[in-house]
Amino acid sequence: MQEVCELIHEAGGQVYLDGANMNAQVGLTSPGFIGSDVSHLNLHKTFCIPHGGGGPGMGPIGVKSHLAPFLPGHVVNGTGHAVSAAQLGSASILPISWAYIAMMGEPGLTEATKVAILSANYVMERLRPYYPVLYRGTHGRIAHECIIDIRPIKEASGISEEDIAKRLMDFGFHAPTMSFPVAGTLMIEPTESEDKAELDRFCDAMIAIREEIAKVQDGEWPLENNPLVNAPHTQADLMAAEWDRPYSRETACFPSAQAKAAKYWPTVNRVDNVYGDRNLICSCPSIESYMED
């Protein structure tokens, strides 16, 4: 990373370091050591603020001194034009990170980084015989993200990363990040939070899903009617009077021992994600009804 920054600087460029997740850096390295010119540091994930559903995003943005004249200020303290109505952003959530850092201390934060890296590499080693893994280093290691490549699997079987993501719901998991930063992949970030039993439960689910994909690829299940493309399965599926699928209801709804012991039930079957993203659907009364009132 230092070499990359030096090459960009030699060419007259500036480096912006994405600090959306610092799980592999805290206590071991820093953006300043790496040599970036601008670095934002999101407090979610790395510093304990929950992240999901679009927020809350919060954290400082640091720049080198030569960029300081270009920083925004705030009218409250008379330091220039504001870019945010709230001078300190979403300050009410900052005590979460403060308390986390204070309780962990420097040794604890460094240990969390090491565990996050270890957890990701453990997942990588367990899944590597079943899924291609991207961006392994010169020694075969990864940082805090394990990115598995579904593109060759999709080409061979027709099963997509979305099918895997939806099938994970039947196993009781929210899917890892899908198609980011690489389209057609799943990015797994176990962080330091999950114990080995939970990591194994997830890996077991992913391995079982790979075995299901093999059944589709071998023709045992048709591509248009199998547990993956029909996932997730609901209680309504379990209780339906008719069952015309080439796999059992048990396979559909209870694919693992954990699912049998403590089942999380998806409330609806698969929705069209892309359609929902591209078409505004409002459950409120029509505009015409407001005009009548």
Side-chain angles (χ1 to χ4, degrees), residues 110-211:
T110 303
E111 184 68 15
T113 298
K114 295 177 180 179
V115 172
I117 296 172
L118 179 63
S119 296
N121 278 277
Y122 178 75
V123 170
M124 183 269 291
E125 287 294 344
R126 282 213 59 194
L127 296 185
R128 189 159 61 90
Y130 306 92
Y131 297 91
V133 178
L134 299 182
Y135 305 132
R136 297 172 67 209
T138 54
H139 299 291
R141 301 289 109 211
I142 58 174
H144 64 286
E145 299 171 344
C146 175
I147 302 177
I148 59 174
D149 193 357
I150 310 302
R151 292 171 296 182
I153 294 174
K154 181 178 180 180
E155 184 176 349
S157 66
I159 297 299
S160 70
E161 68 279 6
E162 182 175 2
D163 296 326
I164 296 173
K166 300 301 184 183
R167 182 58 169 156
L168 278 169
M169 296 175 69
D170 290 328
F171 284 83
F173 290 100
H174 187 292
T177 302
M178 187 175 70
S179 293
F180 180 86
V182 181
T185 67
L186 291 173
M187 180 174 67
I188 305 161
E189 303 173 87
T191 74
E192 76 286 353
S193 302
E194 308 296 349
D195 60 21
K196 184 176 179 296
E198 187 68 0
L199 296 180
D200 283 331
R201 191 170 75 87
F202 174 80
C203 291
D204 290 343
M206 289 297 296
I207 293 169
I209 288 173
R210 187 65 184 89
E211 292 170 351

Side-chain angles (χ1 to χ4, degrees), residues 216-244:
V216 176
Q217 192 169 343
D218 294 341
E220 183 174 340
W221 288 332
L223 178 58
E224 67 280 359
N225 190 5
N226 60 72
L228 295 124
V229 299
N230 291 331
H233 299 83
T234 67
Q235 287 179 318
D237 295 319
L238 181 67
M239 300 304 295
E242 301 294 331
W243 183 262
D244 59 355

